[in-house]
Amino acid sequence: MATGTPRSPQKNIRSNAESVLLSYPGKKSVEEVLATPPGIFEYAPTIGSNLRKRLYFAENLETLAHLAQDNNVCGKVRLVYIDPPYATQTVFHSRTLSHAYEDVFECAEYLEFIRERLILLHRILADDGSIYIHLDAKMVFHVKLLMDEIFGLSNFRNCITRKKSNPKNYTRNQFGNISDYILFYTKSSQYVWNKQCEPWTEERAREYQYVEPETGRRYMKVPIHAPGVRNGETGKQWRGMMPPLGKHWQFLPSTLDELDAKGEIYWSKNGNPRRKVYLDENHGVSVQDIWLDYRDAHNQMAHITGYPTEKNINLLKRIIEASSNVGDIVLDCFAGSGTTLVAADMLGRAWIGSDNSPEALRTMLHRFQHGTKPMGDFVGVQTYKQKVKALSLFDEELPQAVKNDKTHIIQGFNLFADPKLGGLLTLDETSAHDKQEIKTVEKVRKTG
Ligand SMILES: C[S@@+](CC[C@H](N)C(=O)[O-])C[C@H]1O[C@@H](n2cnc3c(N)ncnc32)[C@H](O)[C@@H]1O
């Protein structure tokens, strides 16, 4: 393992890095972006609605400019997750072959499209808020530089690597591409953080190889010193011993005395102290920045909406649980099939979603009312049961995926629609189309 001590103060690093700016044609000033005119919307509350659940059928730049002027929202959003287009040069269709959205911007145009929204999101986010941006390898490095400009390099927390699919049988002369990335930034150094842990596996628990004879508790031994010289108490003698060269005690000598009195210090035959860390006091293994368990919903045969690029709802639940509390506002302005909004609702958060695709709105309204459908409903002749049976012979992770199949009905939200996109009337029409489409899917299922 590499050892080293952080350089201090951090300030120098920050100011140097923040003078690195990405330059491209068409880059507006921050003032110009913040002056974006807010959208004007038609509005329809649903039964029992409150303004803490809002869905916008609108171009999201206008939605964000409108929210930036709303005192109930601006500076109060605790968490933003966005999964924007990735500059793939692709036109996306749903599983029922309806046009969903186009991802056709190229480099500079794409970057400015993202940057304008990030500037407004920075404005809307609470001072202790967090933002997660989901991208793939093509643009993640460019957007990282934009994020450093807007949020500050010192507020960069993680670049999470997610395994998005099973291995691909690539015919191209390159490695299979099964990962994408989530950039995690906060608005400041004080932010909401709920540590996430994964349950112990028997294999990891084996690290706790010692058993305390008096109590039967399993424990492991860890050093009580850490790298770095300190001039205070932790750099001085404890029990007649100095910390090893270049190191300091992890705890104040008085705390070490308390731990020793409780029997939580192990003394080797040579008189070297180590701290006992007990298995039963650990909530599990802390989550790291490589996430293998959140392949996209349609890669897991889970329940889905049929909308393209729909994300795994458990991925969103992890992010929401880590970076917000019950009652907080969660915002996704590239809402797609509404995965973030449903996950937020399930976890007792308020939410705001926006999308400019009629197909996305149709999908979300259907999902809020009826939940998701088994994958098999979208693949024609093969029934879901048959599909599960066939796959379970080969895919050992399937039972987990099936277990995740859940529906969650949402009522009591507010719908805002931009008249320039056809307004609420378009959504009425798409709902009628939705009913028709459900019948068609039912028919396919019955004949299957
Ligand atoms: C990758 S998809 C999001 C999928 C979503 N995370 C899910 O789980 O279903 C991107 C979405 O952004 C929407 N979108 C793209 N440009 C937009 C814009 N300017 N305003 C609002 N929505 C936009 C698209 O219609 C699409 O639904």
Side-chain angles (χ1 to χ4, degrees):
M1 189 202 282
T3 53
T5 46
R7 197 180 95 174
S8 61
Q10 288 256 318
K11 259 192 179 157
N12 298 342
I13 303 175
R14 185 176 172 184
S15 52
N16 285 341
E18 282 169 9
S19 59
V20 175
L21 298 179
L22 194 61
S23 154
Y24 53 84
K27 192 170 180 180
K28 291 184 186 161
S29 71
V30 171
E31 292 69 31
E32 265 178 281
V33 176
L34 289 175
T36 303
I40 297 167
F41 308 114
E42 292 172 2
Y43 163 62
T46 59
I47 298 164
S49 54
N50 69 59
L51 269 171
R52 291 176 60 77
K53 299 181 185 192
R54 305 186 191 187
L55 183 57
Y56 290 83
F57 171 41
E59 155 58 50
N60 54 13
L61 195 66
E62 293 186 12
T63 306
L64 296 175
H66 154 87
L67 295 174
Q69 296 193 352
D70 182 337
N71 291 336
N72 291 316
V73 176
C74 191
K76 298 196 169 75
V77 171
R78 191 85 64 209
L79 170 64
V80 171
Y81 165 87
I82 55 168
D83 174 30
Y86 295 0
T88 56
Q89 312 308 311
T90 307
V91 175
F92 286 98
H93 294 93
S94 72
R95 283 188 175 250
T96 50
L97 299 182
S98 311
H99 176 272
Y101 70 98
E102 295 180 5
D103 177 4
V104 291
F105 286 144
E106 287 196 276
C107 204
E109 206 183 357
Y110 175 82
L111 287 175
E112 189 55 11
F113 168 82
I114 298 288
R115 177 175 163 270
E116 289 175 11
R117 282 141 188 92
L118 293 177
I119 289 172
L120 283 163
L121 285 167
H122 181 263
R123 170 62 61 98
I124 291 168
L125 202 59
D127 288 345
D128 58 358
S130 304
I131 176 165
Y132 291 72
I133 304 155
H134 206 143
L135 293 162
D136 71 8
K138 187 173 178 189
M139 297 313 286
V140 67
F141 302 102
H142 302 68
V143 175
K144 165 88 177 53
L145 289 175
L146 290 182
M147 285 299 288
D148 290 344
E149 276 178 35
I150 301 164
F151 282 77
L153 180 60
S154 58
N155 289 321
F156 167 67
R157 304 285 159 222
N158 287 111
C159 177
I160 298 158
T161 301
R162 177 189 73 130
K163 180 181 173 188
K164 63 180 175 182
S165 65
N166 288 327
K168 296 172 180 172
N169 208 356
Y170 252 27
T171 48
R172 285 180 235 157
N173 292 344
Q174 64 190 73
F175 299 112
N177 148 25
I178 59 164
S179 55
D180 56 22
Y181 305 93
I182 306 171
L183 295 174
F184 166 29
Y185 280 73
T186 54
K187 192 161 170 180
S188 69
S189 57
Q190 304 292 318
Y191 54 95
V192 169
W193 179 246
N194 303 311
K195 185 174 171 172
Q196 299 293 297
C197 290
E198 271 162 2
W200 286 106
T201 57
E202 192 41 44
E203 197 182 334
R204 288 300 301 269
R206 269 190 231 130
E207 289 172 12
Y208 291 73
Q209 51 183 297
Y210 305 102
V211 179
E212 216 169 47
E214 317 83 65
T215 60
R217 295 173 77 192
R218 279 171 71 173
Y219 69 95
M220 66 165 139
K221 301 172 197 166
V222 299
I224 58 168
H225 48 71
V229 175
R230 300 283 185 276
N231 296 324
E233 287 289 286
T234 56
K236 296 195 177 138
Q237 279 196 351
W238 177 62
R239 301 279 170 92
M241 259 177 301
M242 286 298 285
L245 207 60
K247 305 206 170 173
H248 66 281
W249 302 121
Q250 279 178 0
F251 302 92
L252 290 170
S254 55
T255 311
L256 288 173
D257 281 338
E258 280 168 29
L259 290 173
D260 197 24
K262 284 195 277 178
E264 294 186 13
I265 300 286
Y266 171 87
W267 293 91
S268 75
K269 282 186 194 136
N270 306 334
N272 280 331
R274 308 200 86 195
R275 190 163 62 90
K276 294 182 190 171
V277 176
Y278 295 95
L279 176 60
D280 57 25
E281 282 179 356
N282 267 301
H283 299 299
V285 188
S286 309
V287 171
Q288 309 292 309
D289 62 1
I290 299 184
W291 295 2
L292 301 175
D293 301 328
Y294 299 116
R295 284 169 295 145
D296 283 337
H298 53 264
N299 267 292
Q300 300 211 53
M301 294 300 294
H303 275 199
I304 57 169
T305 63
Y307 194 73
T309 63
E310 174 180 345
K311 294 296 173 290
N312 182 328
I313 194 159
N314 293 326
L315 169 87
L316 270 305
K317 283 190 191 165
R318 162 151 294 167
I319 291 173
I320 292 168
E321 283 183 327
S323 292
S324 70
N325 294 317
V326 170
D328 286 350
I329 306 176
V330 175
L331 186 150
D332 180 351
C333 59
F334 293 93
S337 67
T339 314
T340 311
L341 316 183
V342 173
D345 204 84
M346 288 173 93
L347 295 170
R349 274 64 167 175
W351 50 261
I352 300 172
S354 184
D355 206 294
N356 63 354
S357 154
E359 178 65 8
L361 264 287
R362 188 192 67 74
T363 304
M364 283 189 270
L365 293 176
H366 182 79
R367 182 179 198 168
F368 291 177
Q369 217 185 333
H370 305 283
T372 45
K373 289 190 268 201
M375 173 87 170
D377 283 7
F378 296 93
V379 290
V381 284
Q382 205 172 20
T383 65
Y384 184 54
K385 262 193 187 157
Q386 285 169 330
K387 195 89 186 168
V388 166
K389 207 169 153 200
L391 257 178
S392 62
L393 296 174
F394 308 107
D395 188 346
E396 56 181 17
E397 285 165 298
L398 186 69
Q400 176 61 28
V402 172
K403 217 166 61 195
N404 291 336
D405 287 347
K406 281 190 189 135
T407 53
H408 178 76
I409 307 306
I410 300 185
Q411 288 167 330
F413 59 94
N414 292 270
L415 189 56
F416 298 82
D418 183 349
K420 295 198 290 305
L421 300 181
L424 292 166
L425 192 65
T426 310
L427 301 182
D428 274 356
E429 280 164 14
T430 52
S431 308
H433 168 62
D434 184 28
K435 281 180 203 131
Q436 184 58 39
E437 203 172 81
I438 297 163
K439 277 193 199 130
T440 318
V441 173
E442 289 284 330
K443 230 194 278 166
V444 170
R445 194 160 49 159
K446 276 188 198 132
T447 49

